Structure formats: structure tokens, C-alpha cells
Amino acid sequence: MNQIAVAGATGYIGGRLIPLLLEAGHDVTVLSRNSDKLRDVPWRKQVRVLEGDLADEAAAAELCNGADTVYYLVHSMSSNTSGSEDFGRMERLCARNLSQAAREGGVKRLVYLSGLHPQGELSRHLSSRKEVGEILMASGTPTVVLQAGLVIGSGSASFEMVRHLTDVLPVMPAPKWVLNKIQPIAVTDALHYLVGAADLPPEINRTFDIGGPEVLTYAEMMKVYADAGGFRRPVVLPLPVLTPWLAAQWVNLVTPVPRSLAIPLVESLQHDCVAREKDIDAYIPEPEGGLTPYRRAVELALHKIEADTVETTWATAHALSAPAEPLPSDPEWAGLTVFTDERTQETKARPEDVWKVVEGIGGENGYYSLPFAWTVRGWMDKVAGGAGLVRGRRSPNHLQLNDTVDWWRVETLERGRLLRLRAEMLVPGRAWLEFEVTPSTQEGNKSGSTYRQRAIFFPRGLSGRLYWLGVLPFHGIIFKSMANRITAAAQQG
């Protein structure tokens, strides 16, 4: 068992590496600028948590104290919310502090994840990553610098750019360097090499290029993503007039990736990012079954989201262990776009009385809000070839899993507490309607209830986003009225 320290535990890679290190039997200490972000991660109680910043020499020394191996996975660009260009200066400071702390603390191995890059002039982002690696390798502590291409997995900023641009834009104007060569790597493969790097011989002090089995252009990556996600392939139009700065503003406008990340990432796409050597194979064998093809990496990033996102965006208490899946510590902009309408009401009605109304929703009982609007929407769906509202219910008062309720199907049923209905109407996306009833914790209403209602919509492409915007004004009326009338009906008994 090794004593391992990880700087950057709340980052995309750090949050996925730590459970693998624990699984391998290592004793792990982590450093985070904000330890609250680790509150809901499944491995929180298995690690020692230090709160601090590598810009602080004392924090760097505490992290390295007693550690055999230290992973440097922080990146000042990710916390550069102001858009300042000083992230390079901060990177140098943090790298020098860690170098000194590792040397004085007797650390046996440093491991750093950098980026693939060509020779010659680089973007600010890649130049900074390269410089950090050089500082660490000159520290006197044996250092492995793994230089990776775009990491493919939900939560990776580079992958999120691909995801949202492809989801939203059927036609994408892009800089001409969207045709440059890129060698993406699945997050599972990047983690494989990171875990293996801790056991390399002590004489190893160098960089290693790591990448997936394919070299693609950014345009090809978007088209393969579209195939894997079931979208129509976007038409990519390379335009020489789009400068990196203009392209970054466009990415920031169309995707939720913050401007502070979008600009340096887009600037980096001016370069071919392809592995120039595969020396790592002599020290760390490829994963069993070989490196993950790009399309498979995308499918891994999408699969769990498709299955479980409704539940995991409602509460982050679920342990998501697969590296390609989302984690509670991921940024809010990571993952599929989701629109919600949430209503919470306190009522003096008992929980069992509120539940009785909830379980009887739909069919002849209706939806407690603007019945004519529901009827018209049902006719429209039926004419378009959907289920409409004519299916009704099996029982007027009781539900079972998989029951139909008009154009809904009962997906989750925890009798007395939770009902989740999955939409089977024709919409450009996937939709749910969820009801939760719990005893009230509000002072003066101990015998009453808290009623929560949530409509969830995952849009599919541009049409899905336009659909949500089109119905949004009606949702404000319909769902507010639904919550008010359901709780009122429960109080009347």
C-alpha cells in the first residue's frame, strides 16, 4: 500500500482517479480549494481531505508530507472565472510550490496530466501545460508527465464542447482549423495510464504521449458523436474569417461551457494534437482489450446519462462509479441539457391525503389545471401519431409500475411518497412528470405535508430547445395551477 496524495480532487480527472486508487489499496489524501464540493462523492469517507490551494506553500507542504506519490491534477484555467490571462502565472507558482514541497517532503514520484501538443509555438493553454511539466521534471523528484489528447467522458470540458455543439447546431460555421488532426482518448484509458504511472521505476523522469487508437478531425468527432447519439450529422462549414477569439465567443454563446474555458480550449484547436511516440507501451501495457475507439468512448459517456439522469439530477446521493459517467463534483454545465419546472408547496393536508390525489391523477380525474389545454394538447399528439389522452388508466385510484396514465407511463412508484411518470407523447426529446409527498418539517405544520412537483425535459437537438421555449409560458400557468389545486383538493379530503 502506498501513501498517495492528489491535488485537484474536485476536478474532472481527479474525481475519477481517486476511487481507482482506493480500489488498488492505496491510502489517499486529497487537496481541494473547496472541500464542500466533495460532500456527495461516494468515496468521501475513505480519504483524508485537506482544504487549501497549491498557491499556498504551507498547503503544498502538508499535502506532500508522508506521501510516496503525488498527482498534480489542478489547472488554474478551470478556476479562472474572471477570464483573466493570469492563469499561466498561477500555474507556474503552483508547480514551483509543489516541486519544492515534494523535494523537501521526500516524495518518490510526481505524476502530472498534460496535453498533447506539436513542436513550435503553442496556444496559451498548451504552453502553460507544457511549462508546468518542465518545472515538475526539474524538481529533483522523479516525474511522469502524461500528455493526453482530448479526454472523452461526461464532464470533460472538451467533450462537452463536442456534445453541445452537435446537439444544438444542424449547421455549424467553424474556423478552418476544425479540420486539424486530434487524437482523443477515452477517460477510462487516461485513468489506466495514470494509475499505472505510480508504479514506474524511479529512474523515469520524462514525458509520455498517450492517445486513443484513432486520429480524427474535430469535424469528424462531431459527426461520430451524432451517429452515437442518434442525431443527424451536422454540416460543418470551415470559414477562414473566424478567428480563435470569434470562434470562442460562438462556443460560449451556443454551449454552457464557460467563456474562461472556451477561449483557451478553442485556441488550442489551432494545433494538431497527435501522439508522436508510444513509448508508454514499454512500461504500462494497454488496457485489457486494447484502447477504446472514439465512438465507443462516446457511447460510454452517453449510456448512463440516458438511463439515470432524471434521478441523479434530482439528488446527488447516488454513487456513480464508472469513469465515463457524471459525478456530483462535476461542474453544473457538464452533461446533457435539462430543462425543469419545479414547484414546492406546504399544505396542512396529511401526507396520505395528498398522496391519494397524486395517485389518482390523469384519466377521468384529469390534471387539476386548464383541462381544455390538456385536451387540445392530447388531440394534437394523437393527430401527429402519438398516444394522445385516450388511453386513460387501468384503475381510477391505484397505480402499479408500468401502468399507462393517458400519454404517460408509471416509471417509478414508491407508494405514499414518490410517483414518476415518463412521457410517451411525441416530443423532440424525453420528458417526465414527478410528484413527491413528504411529512412537513415546517414549524407549525407538523401534521401537514410538503408537496413537490417537477416537470423534466431533455431536449433533442435544436428542435427540442425551441419546443421548450415555445411551451414555457404555458407551463408557468399549467404547472402552478396543478400544484395549487392538487394541494387544495387534498385539504378538502
Side-chain angles (χ1 to χ4, degrees):
M1 179 180 71
N2 289 331
Q3 300 291 321
I4 291 185
V6 179
T10 58
Y12 175 70
I13 294 294
R16 289 156 173 82
L17 175 64
I18 289 166
L20 298 181
L21 297 174
L22 292 168
E23 185 180 329
H26 300 301
D27 188 5
V28 179
T29 296
V30 305
L31 178 72
S32 173
R33 295 185 185 99
N34 183 359
S35 60
D36 286 345
K37 290 185 178 181
L38 300 175
R39 183 185 58 222
D40 294 321
V41 296
W43 41 262
R44 171 63 180 83
K45 294 182 180 179
Q46 298 173 260
V47 302
R48 174 177 172 236
V49 176
L50 304 176
E51 187 168 76
D53 194 316
L54 287 182
D56 178 8
E57 292 182 3
E62 187 177 10
L63 179 70
C64 292
N65 184 30
D68 298 310
T69 301
V70 176
Y71 284 87
Y72 185 103
L73 302 174
V74 299
H75 196 349
S76 298
M77 184 180 72
S78 63
S79 60
N80 179 34
T81 56
S82 67
S84 167
E85 297 188 6
D86 287 342
F87 69 81
R89 179 188 60 81
M90 184 59 67
E91 285 281 283
R92 291 190 292 274
L93 174 63
C94 292
R96 287 166 182 158
N97 284 348
L98 185 69
S99 294
Q100 177 180 331
R103 184 171 57 251
E104 295 175 353
V107 173
K108 300 173 184 176
R109 164 70 62 200
L110 293 175
V111 181
Y112 170 57
L113 183 65
S114 185
L116 280 178
H117 58 82
Q119 297 283 12
E121 186 178 354
L122 300 175
S123 68
R124 293 176 303 145
H125 166 52
L126 288 176
S127 178
S128 174
R129 304 305 276 164
K130 179 175 180 285
E131 186 177 11
V132 167
E134 292 169 346
I135 291 171
L136 296 178
M137 286 189 292
S139 67
T141 301
T143 299
V144 171
V145 177
L146 298 176
Q147 300 180 150
L150 271 67
V151 177
I152 305 303
S154 181
S156 163
S158 301
F159 176 73
E160 296 302 336
M161 283 175 55
V162 174
R163 179 208 299 275
H164 289 287
L165 286 171
T166 309
D167 285 356
V168 174
L169 298 176
V171 177
M172 179 185 156
K176 61 181 180 181
W177 34 262
V178 76
L179 302 178
N180 286 355
K181 300 295 184 182
I182 302 170
Q183 191 167 356
I185 184 170
V187 63
T188 50
D189 294 341
L191 292 169
H192 167 80
Y193 288 119
L194 282 166
V195 172
D199 297 322
L200 289 178
E203 65 271 15
I204 301 298
N205 187 70
R206 56 162 292 182
T207 65
F208 290 98
D209 288 354
I210 60 173
E214 299 149 291
V215 174
L216 305 165
T217 66
Y218 204 81
E220 288 170 338
M221 288 177 61
M222 289 191 290
K223 291 175 180 178
V224 174
Y225 172 91
D227 292 342
F231 298 101
R232 177 177 295 180
R233 284 190 165 202
V235 176
V236 180
L237 302 176
L239 301 176
V241 296
L242 271 179
T243 65
W245 186 88
L246 284 174
Q249 308 311 311
W250 176 241
V251 169
N252 181 236
L253 177 66
V254 176
T255 80
V257 176
R259 180 177 179 275
S260 58
L261 280 175
I263 291 177
L265 286 175
V266 167
E267 286 176 349
S268 298
L269 296 178
Q270 298 174 81
H271 310 288
D272 286 338
C273 293
V274 178
R276 289 173 291 166
E277 44 85 5
K278 285 202 67 181
D279 297 351
I280 193 68
D281 290 349
Y283 300 95
I284 304 175
E286 289 186 356
E288 185 177 354
L291 295 169
T292 308
Y294 172 67
R295 175 163 179 157
R296 177 58 181 158
V298 171
E299 290 170 346
L300 288 171
L302 296 178
H303 173 72
K304 187 68 176 186
I305 299 171
E306 293 285 345
D308 287 347
T309 303
V310 174
E311 195 161 352
T312 58
T313 52
W314 179 251
T316 58
H318 298 269
L320 301 175
S321 58
E325 299 167 11
L327 279 177
S329 56
D330 286 346
E332 293 180 358
W333 45 263
L336 292 176
T337 298
V338 57
F339 298 120
T340 60
D341 183 287
E342 300 186 27
R343 311 280 169 173
T344 300
Q345 296 229 145
E346 293 290 327
T347 174
K348 295 187 179 299
R350 299 176 305 169
E352 55 266 35
D353 292 331
V354 180
W355 179 257
K356 182 178 179 181
V357 179
V358 167
E359 192 172 1
I361 200 165
E364 294 183 1
N365 296 324
Y367 294 89
Y368 296 89
S369 64
L370 302 180
F372 181 70
W374 284 92
T375 300
V376 170
R377 182 64 180 86
W379 289 340
M380 292 170 62
D381 189 62
K382 192 66 177 174
V383 168
L389 292 174
V390 299
R391 295 191 303 184
R393 297 171 46 116
R394 176 188 55 82
S395 165
N397 301 312
H398 299 284
L399 292 174
Q400 296 179 2
L401 277 176
N402 210 41
D403 270 2
T404 57
V405 180
D406 300 320
W407 56 33
W408 309 97
R409 188 168 297 276
V410 178
E411 182 176 87
T412 301
L413 178 63
E414 296 179 21
R415 200 172 305 280
R417 191 188 76 84
L418 179 67
L419 171 65
R420 184 182 301 133
L421 303 174
R422 183 182 72 247
E424 295 185 342
M425 67 186 81
L426 293 180
V427 290
R430 304 170 68 209
W432 290 262
L433 186 58
E434 184 174 85
F435 306 90
E436 185 179 27
V437 182
T438 57
S440 177
T441 58
Q442 192 176 69
E443 194 66 33
N445 192 30
K446 296 297 185 181
S447 61
S449 312
T450 300
Y451 168 84
R452 296 184 180 89
Q453 170 188 297
R454 188 170 67 133
I456 312 109
F457 182 63
F458 287 89
R460 186 176 183 83
L462 180 61
S463 60
R465 289 159 172 80
L466 294 175
Y467 170 82
W468 179 263
L469 291 174
V471 299
L472 192 58
F474 303 101
H475 281 181
I477 301 171
I478 290 172
F479 290 129
K480 180 179 181 179
S481 175
M482 177 186 289
N484 289 336
R485 293 184 180 181
I486 284 178
T487 53
Q491 282 188 246
Q492 293 171 6

